[in-house]
Amino acid sequence: MKVESLKKVYSMKGKKEFIAVNDVSFAVNKGEIFGLLGPNGAGKTSTIKCICGLLQYDAGEVLVKGHSMQRSRTKGLNHISAVLEGNRNIYWRMTVEENLEFFAGINGIASGKTKQRRDYLLKQFQLEEQRNVVVNNLSRGMKQKVAIVISLITDKSIILLDEPTLGLDVGMSQDLRQLLRTIAKEEGKTILLSTHDMKVVEETCDRLVIINQGKTVAHDTVENLMKLTNQHNYRIQMKDCIPAEIKQKIKQITVKFNEQKNDSSFTYQITIHNPNDLFEIMNLLKISNVELISLERTNYDLEEVFMNLVKGVEKNEISS
Ligand SMILES: Nc1ncnc2c1ncn2[C@@H]1O[C@H](COP(=O)(O)OP(=O)(O)OP(=O)(O)O)[C@@H](O)[C@H]1O
Ligand SMILES: [Mg+2]
């Protein structure tokens, strides 16, 4: 699947035109999970809607197995399954199984033919017990899983998922991330998912684009992006303030050093270039004789990653 210089403009009566997607390009290969990352309003849903033919685009091209989604939409649609926000692809008053039969049916697949696949997917997604439950009575996370199973029942090769883990609890989100990997790798599916959660991208995606206000700010492998962003952030909590001379020595090792006084402790936020520098810092802390309460690696924060990237773009623009 290929997206080339995609542009989507919303025009509403009496209002200025709004460019929601501005010159976005990427390609997703078979067996690959590709992430579309960006903050609220970045243009993720608009991009996905253009890809699955729900929106007409204003410039550029979306090619699905070589078919333009503008000029030969029906041919392209033969290869795409999508789950958009709000689980609109489910019939709430039918059971899980009835939904699966129905959606296989409207795609021209006989019930007998999908029986095996239904059983497989319900087992994979741990929905066997909910098989005969009316969808409306399921929890939000389960409904989300059902929506994804429906998108997989017809066995199309390209799956588009708009914020698949939004609103799921930690366990269910983790299960789903694992399942998506299995589906992509074992069944050779092409998966495009949108999210604003860096963790989802980190665990499931091979490559990604980050968009902001419709524009691409990064397009790379997840591995490279992780290297690019400062990964070695730690939060150290100490019972008391570290003596000045030791603080000075630590500051010489760190890239960033920040001290914060709490009610009954001190928190140090540090960034280092090389993870091995942590050994030296720990040694210095040991010499300080101040009690260590905790040490943790700080999570990658999308906002931070994102802000760094945006700043990087600005710097390039200024220097050129
Ligand atoms: N039908 C519409 N008419 C006018 N503007 C729209 C329409 N749909 C979306 N927009 C605007 O386009 C921009 C991109 O919206 P979009 O829904 O694609 O963002 P998103 O990245 O999916 O955000 P979120 O993370 O909140 O889901 C937003 O500023 C939004 O207000
Ligand atoms: Mg959206």
Side-chain angles (χ1 to χ4, degrees):
M1 184 188 79
K2 242 188 199 166
V3 173
E4 291 169 347
S5 307
L6 184 69
K7 185 173 186 183
K8 172 67 202 167
V9 183
Y10 290 111
S11 26
M12 284 173 294
K13 269 189 204 151
K15 282 197 177 171
K16 238 178 91 186
E17 284 193 333
F18 182 81
I19 307 174
V21 182
N22 194 354
D23 197 19
V24 170
S25 303
F26 57 88
V28 193
N29 305 316
K30 187 174 153 59
E32 188 176 44
I33 306 187
F34 194 92
L36 191 55
L37 191 70
N40 292 130
K44 303 180 295 292
T45 302
S46 303
T47 303
I48 289 185
K49 283 183 175 169
C50 289
I51 298 173
C52 65
L54 274 174
L55 280 182
Q56 295 251 324
Y57 35 94
D58 298 274
E61 192 54 291
V62 175
L63 295 170
V64 171
K65 295 237 173 189
H67 304 292
S68 158
M69 287 309 285
Q70 207 92 291
R71 284 175 285 114
S72 40
R73 185 171 164 266
T74 320
K75 281 189 180 146
L77 279 180
N78 284 335
H79 305 282
I80 290 187
S81 238
V83 181
L84 293 160
E85 296 162 307
N87 300 333
R88 260 164 289 176
N89 67 333
I90 310 185
Y91 280 96
W92 302 76
R93 289 191 204 164
M94 299 203 295
T95 66
V96 173
E97 177 118 53
E98 284 164 352
N99 263 288
L100 293 178
E101 278 184 34
F102 175 77
F103 283 100
I106 58 169
N107 279 285
I109 308 169
S111 172
K113 273 200 179 155
T114 56
K115 169 94 178 71
Q116 213 181 347
R117 184 150 180 82
R118 272 203 314 269
D119 291 346
Y120 166 77
L121 289 172
L122 290 174
K123 184 158 189 266
Q124 283 280 316
F125 281 74
Q126 292 173 18
L127 283 168
E128 282 166 307
E129 275 180 37
Q130 284 77 28
R131 197 176 194 119
N132 297 312
V133 176
V134 172
V135 168
N136 205 19
N137 296 337
L138 295 176
S139 75
R140 182 175 166 172
M142 285 172 181
K143 279 178 190 145
Q144 178 71 353
K145 287 210 279 189
V146 174
I148 295 172
V149 170
I150 290 173
S151 75
L152 294 168
I153 193 75
T154 51
D155 224 0
K156 300 213 173 160
S157 55
I158 300 168
I159 319 286
L160 311 179
L161 304 170
D162 195 11
E163 308 261 7
T165 58
L166 190 72
L168 300 191
D169 67 36
V170 179
M172 209 173 271
S173 172
Q174 202 164 24
D175 287 352
L176 187 58
R177 298 199 292 261
Q178 183 59 44
L179 276 166
L180 292 178
R181 282 217 74 84
T182 310
I183 298 283
K185 302 303 159 196
E186 285 181 5
E187 302 195 356
K189 300 263 186 220
T190 304
I191 299 182
L192 172 73
L193 63 85
S194 78
T195 181
H196 46 241
D197 186 344
M198 195 69 195
K199 189 137 189 76
V200 172
V201 168
E202 196 192 325
E203 276 182 27
T204 52
C205 298
D206 303 293
R207 291 186 303 131
L208 82 164
V209 283
I210 300 185
I211 52 174
N212 182 33
Q213 296 178 357
K215 285 191 190 157
T216 305
V217 291
H219 182 178
D220 211 333
T221 61
V222 172
E223 208 186 334
N224 281 344
L225 186 77
M226 285 307 175
K227 273 189 219 153
L228 193 101
T229 61
N230 234 327
Q231 296 176 42
H232 314 300
N233 295 325
Y234 296 88
R235 187 183 298 128
I236 305 169
Q237 207 185 351
M238 305 293 288
K239 187 85 192 145
D240 211 338
C241 183
I242 312 171
E245 67 276 14
I246 293 200
K247 222 185 284 179
Q248 204 48 45
K249 283 184 182 160
I250 294 178
K251 276 185 184 171
Q252 283 168 5
I253 306 168
T254 55
V255 183
K256 263 195 237 163
F257 180 94
N258 189 334
E259 180 184 75
Q260 191 194 326
K261 187 180 184 317
N262 316 316
D263 283 347
S264 57
S265 66
F266 279 75
T267 303
Y268 296 91
Q269 200 85 43
I270 61 161
T271 303
I272 47 180
H273 266 317
N274 182 342
N276 283 330
D277 289 344
L278 195 62
F279 290 130
E280 208 176 324
I281 292 170
M282 291 320 281
N283 270 336
L284 287 164
L285 290 177
K286 197 174 166 191
I287 301 168
S288 78
N289 266 331
V290 180
E291 192 184 325
L292 172 72
I293 300 175
S294 66
L295 163 70
E296 60 180 328
R297 177 117 174 238
T298 341
N299 282 342
Y300 311 121
D301 181 84
L302 169 62
E303 207 158 283
E304 209 176 341
V305 170
F306 182 74
M307 290 315 286
N308 282 340
L309 284 164
V310 172
K311 270 189 235 151
V313 169
E314 280 169 3
K315 239 185 261 158
N316 287 343
E317 276 173 359
I318 290 163
S319 64
S320 61

